[in-house]
Short mmCIF file of all heavy atoms in Angstrom, two decimals:
data_model
loop_
_atom_site.label_atom_id
_atom_site.label_comp_id
_atom_site.label_asym_id
_atom_site.label_seq_id
_atom_site.Cartn_x
_atom_site.Cartn_y
_atom_site.Cartn_z
N GLN P 26 -71.46 108.21 -31.50
CA GLN P 26 -70.62 108.20 -30.31
C GLN P 26 -69.20 107.82 -30.69
O GLN P 26 -68.98 106.85 -31.42
CB GLN P 26 -71.18 107.22 -29.28
CG GLN P 26 -70.42 107.23 -27.97
CD GLN P 26 -71.05 106.28 -26.98
OE1 GLN P 26 -72.01 105.60 -27.32
NE2 GLN P 26 -70.52 106.23 -25.78
N TYR P 105 -40.64 116.95 -17.89
CA TYR P 105 -41.09 116.49 -19.20
C TYR P 105 -42.59 116.75 -19.34
O TYR P 105 -43.36 116.54 -18.38
CB TYR P 105 -40.82 115.00 -19.38
CG TYR P 105 -39.35 114.64 -19.38
CD1 TYR P 105 -38.73 114.24 -18.19
CD2 TYR P 105 -38.59 114.72 -20.53
CE1 TYR P 105 -37.40 113.91 -18.17
CE2 TYR P 105 -37.25 114.38 -20.53
CZ TYR P 105 -36.65 113.98 -19.34
OH TYR P 105 -35.32 113.67 -19.33
N ILE P 119 -57.68 109.27 -32.17
CA ILE P 119 -58.09 110.11 -31.05
C ILE P 119 -56.87 110.39 -30.19
O ILE P 119 -55.92 109.61 -30.16
CB ILE P 119 -59.21 109.45 -30.22
CG1 ILE P 119 -58.76 108.08 -29.69
CG2 ILE P 119 -60.47 109.30 -31.05
CD1 ILE P 119 -59.78 107.42 -28.81
N LYS P 120 -56.89 111.53 -29.50
CA LYS P 120 -55.78 111.95 -28.68
C LYS P 120 -56.20 112.00 -27.22
O LYS P 120 -57.32 112.38 -26.91
CB LYS P 120 -55.26 113.32 -29.12
CG LYS P 120 -54.74 113.35 -30.55
CD LYS P 120 -54.26 114.75 -30.93
CE LYS P 120 -53.75 114.79 -32.37
NZ LYS P 120 -53.28 116.15 -32.74
N LEU P 133 -27.98 115.68 -2.61
CA LEU P 133 -26.59 115.48 -2.22
C LEU P 133 -26.35 116.02 -0.83
O LEU P 133 -26.98 117.00 -0.39
CB LEU P 133 -25.65 116.18 -3.22
CG LEU P 133 -25.78 115.72 -4.69
CD1 LEU P 133 -24.84 116.54 -5.56
CD2 LEU P 133 -25.48 114.24 -4.82
N ILE P 153 -11.53 112.32 -6.09
CA ILE P 153 -11.47 111.28 -5.06
C ILE P 153 -12.92 110.87 -4.76
O ILE P 153 -13.68 111.63 -4.16
CB ILE P 153 -10.77 111.81 -3.79
CG1 ILE P 153 -9.35 112.29 -4.14
CG2 ILE P 153 -10.72 110.71 -2.73
CD1 ILE P 153 -8.63 112.93 -2.96
N PHE P 170 -31.61 82.26 -7.88
CA PHE P 170 -30.81 81.13 -8.37
C PHE P 170 -31.64 80.28 -9.33
O PHE P 170 -32.73 79.82 -9.00
CB PHE P 170 -30.34 80.26 -7.19
CG PHE P 170 -29.60 79.02 -7.62
CD1 PHE P 170 -28.27 79.10 -8.01
CD2 PHE P 170 -30.24 77.79 -7.65
CE1 PHE P 170 -27.58 77.96 -8.40
CE2 PHE P 170 -29.57 76.66 -8.04
CZ PHE P 170 -28.23 76.74 -8.42
N GLY P 181 -19.55 70.59 -17.62
CA GLY P 181 -18.09 70.63 -17.72
C GLY P 181 -17.42 69.92 -16.55
O GLY P 181 -16.44 69.17 -16.74
N THR P 244 -31.14 9.27 -7.54
CA THR P 244 -31.33 10.18 -8.68
C THR P 244 -30.19 11.18 -8.76
O THR P 244 -29.65 11.45 -9.84
CB THR P 244 -32.68 10.91 -8.55
OG1 THR P 244 -33.74 9.95 -8.56
CG2 THR P 244 -32.88 11.88 -9.70
N ILE P 246 -27.11 10.84 -7.51
CA ILE P 246 -25.85 10.17 -7.85
C ILE P 246 -25.78 9.86 -9.34
O ILE P 246 -24.77 10.11 -10.01
CB ILE P 246 -25.68 8.88 -7.01
CG1 ILE P 246 -25.48 9.24 -5.53
CG2 ILE P 246 -24.50 8.05 -7.52
CD1 ILE P 246 -25.36 8.04 -4.62
N GLU P 264 -29.54 11.08 -22.41
CA GLU P 264 -30.54 10.55 -23.33
C GLU P 264 -30.41 9.04 -23.50
O GLU P 264 -31.04 8.45 -24.38
CB GLU P 264 -30.42 11.24 -24.69
CG GLU P 264 -30.65 12.74 -24.63
CD GLU P 264 -30.51 13.40 -25.99
OE1 GLU P 264 -30.25 12.66 -26.96
OE2 GLU P 264 -30.67 14.63 -26.07
N GLU P 348 -1.36 -7.37 -26.07
CA GLU P 348 -2.71 -7.04 -25.60
C GLU P 348 -3.57 -6.63 -26.78
O GLU P 348 -3.11 -5.95 -27.71
CB GLU P 348 -2.66 -5.90 -24.59
CG GLU P 348 -4.01 -5.56 -24.01
CD GLU P 348 -3.91 -4.43 -23.03
OE1 GLU P 348 -2.80 -3.88 -22.88
OE2 GLU P 348 -4.93 -4.06 -22.42
N THR P 354 -13.60 3.88 -30.99
CA THR P 354 -14.55 4.56 -31.88
C THR P 354 -15.92 4.68 -31.23
O THR P 354 -16.34 3.78 -30.50
CB THR P 354 -14.70 3.80 -33.21
OG1 THR P 354 -15.17 2.49 -32.93
CG2 THR P 354 -13.36 3.73 -33.94
N GLU P 363 -22.01 19.21 -30.67
CA GLU P 363 -20.91 20.14 -30.90
C GLU P 363 -19.60 19.45 -31.19
O GLU P 363 -18.63 20.08 -31.61
CB GLU P 363 -20.74 21.06 -29.67
CG GLU P 363 -20.44 20.34 -28.38
CD GLU P 363 -21.72 20.04 -27.60
OE1 GLU P 363 -22.80 20.03 -28.24
OE2 GLU P 363 -21.63 19.86 -26.39
#
Side-chain angles (χ1 to χ4, degrees):
Q26 185 178 3
Y105 296 94
I119 58 177
K120 298 179 181 180
L133 301 177
I153 302 176
F170 176 79
T244 299
I246 292 178
E264 299 180 1
E348 183 181 4
T354 60
E363 60 267 22

